[in-house]
Amino acid sequence: MITYLENQSRAPSSSSSAASAASAAVISDLDGDAAELEAYGRDFGGMTLAVPAAVIRPSTSTDVAGAVRFARSNGLSVAARGNGHSVHGQAAVGGGLVLDMRALSSPIALVRAAGAAYADVPAGALWEEVLEWGLAEHRLVPASWTDYLGLTVGGTLSNGGVGGQCFRQGPQVANVAELEVVAGDGEIRVCSPRCNSDLFFAVLGGLGQFGVITRARIRLLPAPDMVKWIRVVYSDFSRYVSDAETLVGRAGPGLLDYIEGFAFVNSMDPVNGYSIVPFEPKFSFDPKRVPQTAGPLLYCLELAIHYNHGDDTVDQRTVEMLRPLGYIEELEFHKHVSYVDFVSRVKRTEEEARANGSWDTPHPWLNIFVSAANIVDFDRKIFRKILRRGIGGPMLVYPMLRSKWDERMSVVVPDGEVFYLVALLRFARPPPVGPSAEEMLKENRKVLDRCRSAGFDFKLYLPHYRTQNEWANHFGETGWRRFAGRKARYDPAAVLSPGQGIFPL
Ligand code: FAD
C-alpha cells in the first residue's frame, strides 16, 4: 500500500492535481502537511530547497512501479529519497513526486548461495538496521561499511559506499550480488552480474538515474567479537602516504581489516587540533613529541584489526604490524572495543553535533578521489595552504585500490591502482562563531580550482555539477557515452532523480 503526502499550498496546480489523480489510482491515506512536505525538499546539506508536489510512501516494489509509471505518463519527475543525507539536493524533486524509500516494508532475509551468505534488504533500510538484524539473528554482517550507518542501502549503492574496509573488501557497490530495480519505464527487473547485467552495473553508483533500487542482496561475513583500534601520528606526509600504501598492499586475514586517516591542525585548537586524536580525554596527546620541523598540519593513520574472544595474539600482531612504520614515537593510541561499537562510532559524533547545533547547520561537504600520483602535491598545495587552519570537522585522507572497483559500474574513479579519498566534512557552528555556507563553498571552489590548475587526476565522489558539460567531463568521453546511453535505455523520458541535475527535462 502507498501512503502519500500532497503539497496543498506550494506546488504548481498541475502537479498538485496530478498527484491527486495518482491518489485515485494507487494512493491512499492522504495525509498532507505543508511543513512536513517542505522537510522533504531539504537535505543534510541544508543549502537547497525544492518542495515536492507529493511524497509517496511505497511499501512494495509494485507501489514504486505504479508511482514511476504515473509520473512518466503525467510528465512529472520522481526521485527516490533514502534518508536525505545528500548535501546538494540530489534526492529532491521540486514540484514532482518524492518516494520515501524508508517506507518499504519487506523484512530483511538471509540467503545462502554457493557457500556464501547474503542479506536480501529493502533498499530503504538503514545500514544500522542491517547491522542490528545480522548480529541478532545470524552473527553475520556486511563486508563493507560506510563510516556513518544512518544512510540507506539504496542511497549508498547509488553512489559508491566507501569506508575503511574498502581497500580489502571493496566499496559497498562491489559487495552486491543482485538487485531488484524499477527502471524509468516503470518495469520491475531483477538484475545481477549474470542477468540484466548492464542494468545491474548501471544502477551501482548510478546516482538514481536509471532505476529505483527496491531490494539489494548484500554480501555478509561472520561478525568478529572485537576490534583493536589504533591511531598513530605523522608529521611527514610522504611517510604517512608510503606507510598507508604499504599497509593496503599487505592486507590479508588477521593482518589489517580497516584503514582510514585524517589531517589535523598542529595546534591546541579544540576543534581542529591535537585533541581530536586520542580516543578519550584520559589518553593525552603530548605536543612535546611533535618535531620542531613539523608543518601546520599533522596526519593520523587509523587502523583496526578484528578478533574474537579468546584470541590472545592481537596485541602481538599489532606490534608486528606497527614496527616498520615511521610515525612519531609515543604518539600512538590503542583501544579495544566491541565490533558493534567500532562500526557505530560515528553515532556518537552525531549525538555531539546535534547537541552543539552543528548537525543542523549547512554542510557544504566536499569529497574527492585523488590519484596517489598527486596526493603529496595535494598536501603541499591544498592541505598545507588552503586548509592549514582546519575546516571545523574531519579532513579524511586514506587510500583505496582501484582493482576493488568494477569498471562496468557507473561510478568513476581516477586512473592508477591506488587513489585517496579526501573528504572535507565541514561541521561549522552558525555564524558569527563559524563561517557562512557561502564562505565554505568558496573555499571548496578554491580547492577544486587548485586541483585543476595543478593538473591532478581526480574525480568528485558524491558529485555535484551545474551543467551537463561538467557532467560529461566528470565521466570522461567513453564514460559519458555509456552513461547517456544507459539513460536513453532505462529512463528515456528522464523522469528519475532530477536533483542530480544531469539530464534537465
Ligand atoms: P539520499 O541522499 O536520500 O539519496 C542520494 C541519491 O540517491 C539521490 O539521487 C536519490 O534520488 C538516490 N537514491 C536514494 N535511494 C535510492 C534508491 N533506492 N534507488 C535509486 N536511487 C536512490 N558516504 C560514504 O560513501 N561513506 C561514508 O562514510 C559516508 N558517511 C556519511 C556521513 C554522514 C553524516 C552523511 C550525511 C553522509 C555520509 N555519506 C557517506 C554520504 C552518503 O553516502 C550519501 O549521502 C548518500 O546519498 C546516502 O544517503 P541517503 O541514503 O540519505 O540517500
Side-chain angles (χ1 to χ4, degrees):
M1 183 185 73
I2 294 178
T3 59
Y4 102 131
L5 190 65
E6 184 184 359
N7 185 355
Q8 309 284 2
S9 56
R10 302 189 57 148
S13 57
S14 59
S15 303
S16 189
S17 61
S20 298
S23 74
V26 289
I27 295 170
S28 62
D29 292 358
L30 183 69
D31 178 22
D33 174 324
E36 197 181 345
L37 203 54
E38 189 167 306
Y40 279 93
R42 300 186 189 278
D43 62 19
F44 179 77
M47 296 176 291
T48 57
L49 173 64
V51 182
V55 175
I56 295 181
R57 298 198 173 104
S59 43
T60 64
S61 44
T62 310
D63 291 345
V64 172
V68 170
R69 278 201 295 269
F70 174 82
R72 196 177 162 180
S73 55
N74 288 278
L76 288 171
S77 296
V78 56
R81 177 183 166 102
N83 209 19
H85 278 48
S86 292
V87 299
H88 290 289
Q90 287 95 330
V93 50
L97 306 181
V98 167
L99 298 170
D100 182 348
M101 302 303 286
R102 296 283 297 130
L104 285 181
S105 59
S106 56
I108 304 175
L110 182 69
V111 175
R112 290 195 187 272
Y118 301 90
D120 265 2
V121 182
L126 302 180
W127 286 99
E128 65 194 22
E129 292 166 347
V130 183
L131 172 69
E132 196 183 328
W133 165 87
L135 286 175
E137 311 260 331
H138 309 285
R139 292 292 308 162
L140 291 167
V141 289
S144 184
W145 294 106
T146 46
D147 294 345
Y148 174 64
L149 307 188
L151 309 167
T152 64
V153 169
T156 67
L157 295 184
S158 299
N159 283 293
V162 301
Q165 295 80 18
C166 250
F167 78 102
R168 186 160 165 211
Q169 307 294 352
Q172 290 179 328
V173 279
N175 284 280
V176 186
E178 184 182 285
L179 296 169
E180 181 188 71
V181 174
V182 176
D185 58 8
E187 293 298 316
I188 303 172
R189 295 187 180 89
V190 173
C191 54
S192 72
R194 278 164 304 283
C195 157
N196 290 322
S197 63
D198 184 62
L199 176 63
F200 178 77
F201 290 114
V203 165
L204 293 171
L207 307 171
Q209 295 305 302
F210 311 113
V212 178
I213 304 168
T214 47
R215 175 180 61 77
R217 183 164 292 175
I218 308 292
R219 186 165 78 99
L220 301 175
L221 294 176
D225 297 324
M226 298 292 293
V227 169
K228 173 97 184 249
W229 187 2
I230 305 142
R231 286 181 177 167
V232 290
V233 174
Y234 291 75
S235 57
D236 175 354
F237 188 69
S238 299
R239 189 62 207 262
Y240 171 88
V241 159
S242 121
D243 282 355
E245 291 181 24
T246 306
L247 287 170
V248 298
R250 267 212 325 239
L255 285 176
L256 183 63
D257 296 285
Y258 164 102
I259 180 166
E260 288 201 7
F262 55 91
F264 64 101
V265 176
N266 182 8
S267 81
M268 303 293 271
D269 176 321
V271 178
N272 300 291
Y274 306 139
S275 62
I276 64 175
V277 176
F279 296 111
E280 291 157 31
K282 70 176 179 190
F283 300 107
S284 69
F285 185 107
D286 182 359
K288 289 198 286 300
R289 300 280 163 201
V290 177
Q292 296 287 318
T293 51
L297 294 181
L298 301 172
Y299 312 92
C300 176
L301 198 57
E302 181 173 78
L303 310 166
I305 304 177
H306 298 166
Y307 67 100
N308 287 326
H309 294 310
D311 174 351
D312 54 9
T313 65
V314 68
D315 289 330
Q316 186 53 35
R317 283 189 281 136
T318 307
V319 171
E320 279 158 25
M321 179 184 66
L322 295 180
R323 189 173 294 131
L325 306 188
Y327 56 90
I328 304 171
E329 230 178 289
E330 294 190 34
L331 287 182
E332 177 185 329
F333 304 86
H334 299 238
K335 191 179 181 184
H336 293 265
V337 290
S338 74
Y339 179 75
V340 182
D341 283 350
F342 180 71
V343 293
S344 312
R345 63 199 179 280
V346 178
K347 190 89 188 159
R348 283 180 292 285
T349 311
E350 175 182 354
E351 285 158 8
E352 283 162 25
R354 282 191 191 278
N356 70 27
S358 62
W359 191 261
D360 299 314
T361 53
H363 299 104
W365 287 9
L366 182 63
N367 287 269
I368 321 173
F369 291 141
V370 181
S371 166
N374 302 122
I375 198 67
V376 171
D377 272 351
F378 186 100
D379 173 60
R380 200 162 48 84
K381 296 184 169 164
I382 296 175
F383 272 139
R384 285 197 276 151
K385 292 256 166 59
I386 303 173
L387 304 171
R388 67 185 179 284
R389 291 190 194 85
I391 56 165
M395 300 195 288
L396 305 183
V397 51
Y398 62 88
M400 39 191 90
L401 304 177
R402 188 186 163 96
S403 51
K404 298 287 178 184
W405 298 65
D406 192 314
E407 291 191 347
R408 292 169 292 177
M409 300 183 304
S410 289
V411 62
V412 285
V413 298
D415 292 332
E417 171 60 354
V418 182
F419 63 92
Y420 281 72
L421 172 71
V422 173
L424 305 180
L425 309 179
R426 301 170 184 278
F427 273 103
R429 304 285 179 88
V433 180
S436 68
E438 192 37 57
E439 285 170 284
M440 293 187 276
L441 286 167
K442 197 169 155 199
E443 194 168 79
N444 287 349
R445 284 195 291 274
K446 204 165 161 191
V447 168
L448 293 177
D449 286 348
R450 194 66 61 89
C451 286
R452 284 187 199 103
S453 63
F456 293 166
D457 177 12
F458 73 99
K459 295 286 177 195
L460 287 192
Y461 174 55
L462 307 165
H464 164 65
Y465 297 105
R466 289 177 202 284
T467 66
Q468 197 170 71
N469 227 5
E470 289 173 303
W471 279 108
N473 284 337
H474 170 77
F475 286 104
E477 199 181 327
T478 319
W480 174 246
R481 210 176 306 121
R482 184 180 68 175
F483 199 85
R486 284 170 164 173
K487 186 70 173 176
R489 200 147 53 245
Y490 301 117
D491 181 26
V495 294
L496 294 173
S497 277
Q500 297 280 3
I502 309 176
F503 297 101
L505 277 177

